[in-house]
Amino acid sequence: PARWIAWNFHCQVTGIDLSSSMLDKARARVARERLPHVRLLEMEAAKTTFADDTFGAALARWVFHLVPGWQAAVDELARVVRPRGTVLVNLGDFHETWQIVDRFVATAGDVPFSVGLDPRHPEHLDDAFARHGATVRLLEPIPSRDDTTVGEFVDEMAGGQHSWTWRVPAEVRER
């Protein structure tokens, strides 16, 4: 989404991540796709260095489940996005895989799925934004195509590709 925005609207897009390895992947993609409007910075979502009202809009994609104290990240978004600005949040779409995820988590010793917001309870996120006076709206989903098979998904879990598997030792993931 961010590269689409940068490419189609020729506006400045700023991406942040706490993980330098994820930023390296993003930087490679920005270079490969020649996106001069994109800048990438290493910082915490819950404690940015941006001035108040820096952005007209923000996109938080698949991040709140990774942030302990995720409410502070909501506070930051409310601080850095201008009044009447827009914040789009994508919690991820795990609906088709919850049974697999739940079984994996139970097998791994009931490791919590998330260290932050449980995406199965988006109403908590709505409440956090509403405390800042935000108008919360659920947008119609944009269909996406995922050709990942169950076997590939299981292999991804074993390989530690998904954030909720990172706290699980490799020998447990590979069982």
Side-chain angles (χ1 to χ4, degrees):
R3 76 174 184 270
W4 183 85
I5 292 167
W7 186 261
N8 288 292
F9 294 98
H10 302 287
C11 61
Q12 182 70 37
V13 173
T14 301
I16 67 168
D17 202 304
L18 185 58
S19 165
S20 58
S21 63
M22 290 302 285
L23 284 168
D24 288 343
K25 288 180 183 182
R27 285 185 182 109
R29 188 174 203 169
V30 165
R32 184 175 61 250
E33 296 185 19
R34 295 182 183 93
L35 299 171
H37 301 90
V38 176
R39 70 178 174 154
L40 300 168
L41 305 169
E42 187 172 334
M43 67 177 72
E44 294 182 44
K47 189 178 174 186
T48 70
T49 58
F50 302 117
D52 293 356
D53 305 330
T54 297
F55 303 102
L59 169 66
R61 184 171 186 239
W62 300 354
V63 68
F64 286 104
H65 67 287
L66 297 172
V67 181
W70 58 270
Q71 297 90 338
V74 171
D75 296 343
E76 267 308 274
L77 283 167
R79 185 183 70 76
V80 303
V81 174
R82 292 180 203 116
R84 302 181 64 92
T86 299
V87 176
L88 295 175
V89 177
N90 181 341
L91 294 177
D93 185 12
F94 301 101
H95 297 100
E96 295 178 4
T97 56
W98 276 128
Q99 290 177 333
I100 298 169
V101 170
D102 287 341
R103 186 171 177 189
F104 175 88
V105 167
T107 301
D110 287 323
V111 172
F113 172 78
S114 65
V115 295
L117 174 72
D118 186 331
R120 291 175 277 201
H121 298 289
E123 67 276 8
H124 299 305
L125 184 63
D126 296 346
D127 293 343
F129 275 106
R131 281 194 290 280
H132 289 281
T135 301
V136 178
R137 290 188 302 145
L138 180 63
L139 301 178
E140 288 297 316
I142 299 170
S144 62
R145 189 173 155 190
D146 184 0
D147 294 331
T148 305
T149 66
V150 171
E152 290 168 336
F153 187 66
V154 169
D155 289 345
E156 290 172 359
M157 289 188 298
Q161 181 174 333
H162 299 278
S163 58
W164 41 270
T165 64
W166 297 344
R167 293 175 306 284
V168 179
E171 62 275 5
V172 176
R173 286 196 319 264
E174 294 166 1
R175 287 194 253 190

